[in-house]
Amino acid sequence: MKINDHLVLWNHVLIRVMDVRRMMLEPGEVMRDYRVPTSAFLYVTDGSAQLHIDGIESRMQRFQVLHVGKGLRLNIAAVEQLEYFMVLYKAILPLPSGYELVHLMERENPFQLRYSLSPKYPISWLQKLEHMHQIWQAPSPLDKFKVKTLFYQLLYELVEQLYEQGVEIIRPDLVSQAIYYMEEHYQEALSLEELADTLECTSRQLLRLFKNQMNTSPIDYLIQLRVNKAKELLIYTDRTLKEISESVGYADSYYFSRIFKKQEGVSPKRFKETYEGDWRRNNPFSSSTYSIVDGGLKRYSNNGYENHYHYKKEGNSHMYKKSRAWMTTMVVICFTLLLSACSTGSTSTPTTTNGVTTAPATSSAPTAAVNKEADSTRVIKHAMGETTIKGTPSRVVILTNEGTEALLAVGVKPVGAVMSWLGEPWYDHIKNDMQNVTVVGDELQPNLELIASLKPDLIIGNKVRQEKIYDQLKQIAPTVFAADLVGDWKINFKLYSEAVNKVDEGEKAMVAFDKRVADVKAKLGTKAATKVSLVRFSASQVRIYQKQTFAGVLLGQLGIARPESQDKDSFIEVLNKENIAKMDGDVLFYFVTEAKGKTDAANVVKEWQNDPLFKNLNAAKTNKVIQVDEGIWNSAGGYKAANLLLDELIKYFDVK
């Protein structure tokens, strides 16, 4: 660490404290995939935790300081009850600045480095941070100035210690961070300048590093990433070209087609037709609009247990249609087989022996047909490859909450399932259907021994949750994995219906749900112009929920308006108090993530709602801030929850 260069930069930059947070995690609780919005200091005041920062693992103990830069992906898993402060700040080099300073910032940038140490005066740090947090709750201009002076005192103690001792630092891997960011935000409009700004570097620096490591530019990488995502959707879904182009970040489907053809050498339509032949050969029900597996949009879930889905039936005509000739042929074949069975089967009259009526002997032809159907095999394409399933599974273990609801919707009661995120152990809306079902852990930690003891003939899981144990699961029983837990929830539903051999039941359930949505949408009228805001509170963070969330996609299907900050084909945005305005809408629905018996998240709700900026929201002024059930609006994420959510929207909008 070139501490003298860093001191030069610390002396020249303008520092702005963005937020002071006091965070708590229970033992085993995880803050997952939090992308740090600015440079930050973390200071542990109690407990310990395992850290995963951009794939690098370390451990934090009491009275330890961690510095991280903007854009890093932070995972904190509490080993024991953890309490820590997080101070978010921005360091800006004022312009104009001399070339030497600009070059030094580009080369060194101490505000992006990662390092940790134990301060010489831990109690001094604790007292200052407690004071900063206390006055930050309702800061006046003078209070903000006080927070800034305390922050500079902490910085002085820290830099003095760095100067005397030196510590091991880890420079951020800008290329891997850029790739992570593009994979998460490829649906949005992204430029090289915006990407560099997000990663706190210059566009020239990012371009040079990216080309050196990846032998291509960031924008060319982004284009190929989008095209690859589009290929998945073309192969495995029946979405229209317009829907696909929008879902991968191109508002203009014509421009998307040009980009696709330039990358792949063929148009999207020709690509789909070319691949469709191979796909149909592996699909025993080739005329069905349900593909064997539909591609998902690979994204992460910030808190580790959210399911968010999206599906659209309206729009342009699909890129291929069913063949009437094929259907006619199948009807003729089935009718012929039926006549054949009737003509060749033997009949007998029931006889009575000692008062007991015996059934007539069954014909050999129907018996053979039944046995053939029971023994038939199906090849299911899924996120991890292909799995052969024999007959109709009767002992199914399901490893996701939304998957549990899908099985129940098609009439399959699993022998084992992961517990619901809320409830003991099931959500209230499914507990009557889940009696005597064995709990096999939760989505993050399924119990392999318990799963094996149930002797399942099919295991259904999800790549996002259980990719690391897939090889172990498939040694127990045939295993099928959905690709994702984000975007179109019906994609996973189709896959599950195929896997358990309940395609017809799945189609009927979907038709019923789509009809309900269409009926409500038609009756909403001008009420659909009401801007609905979705907010989640937890002990560790506050978020707004955008269109690619479970509740968000249903609002989109109904045509209900969203605030500008949430009218995005994205997942969530983590807020601090300075951007509370992004919560605003004509009505604000919020849910709270909190363990039973705890009040930490409730305290956060109270703290934020007492903030002057929150009280200034239009929804707050009109008394339209409404708490809703998290299970239904967010974490259950399945067929039954979707219908219950629709019920609640019907009630709120008074749809007759």
Side-chain angles (χ1 to χ4, degrees), residues 492-507:
N492 289 359
F493 190 95
K494 292 177 186 179
L495 174 62
Y496 305 151
S497 299
E498 290 277 1
V500 298
N501 209 12
K502 297 286 184 179
V503 175
D504 291 342
E505 291 85 345
E507 288 180 335

Side-chain angles (χ1 to χ4, degrees), residues 455-492:
K455 299 180 179 179
D457 48 17
L458 175 65
I459 300 170
I460 299 176
N462 191 281
K463 184 176 180 180
V464 173
R465 292 287 191 259
Q466 298 107 19
E467 181 177 11
K468 291 182 178 179
I469 59 170
Y470 172 75
D471 289 337
Q472 295 165 278
L473 289 169
K474 71 179 183 180
Q475 297 301 318
I476 299 173
T479 301
V480 171
F481 268 20
D484 208 346
L485 286 170
V486 191
D488 182 353
W489 66 273
K490 293 184 181 180
I491 289 176
N492 289 359

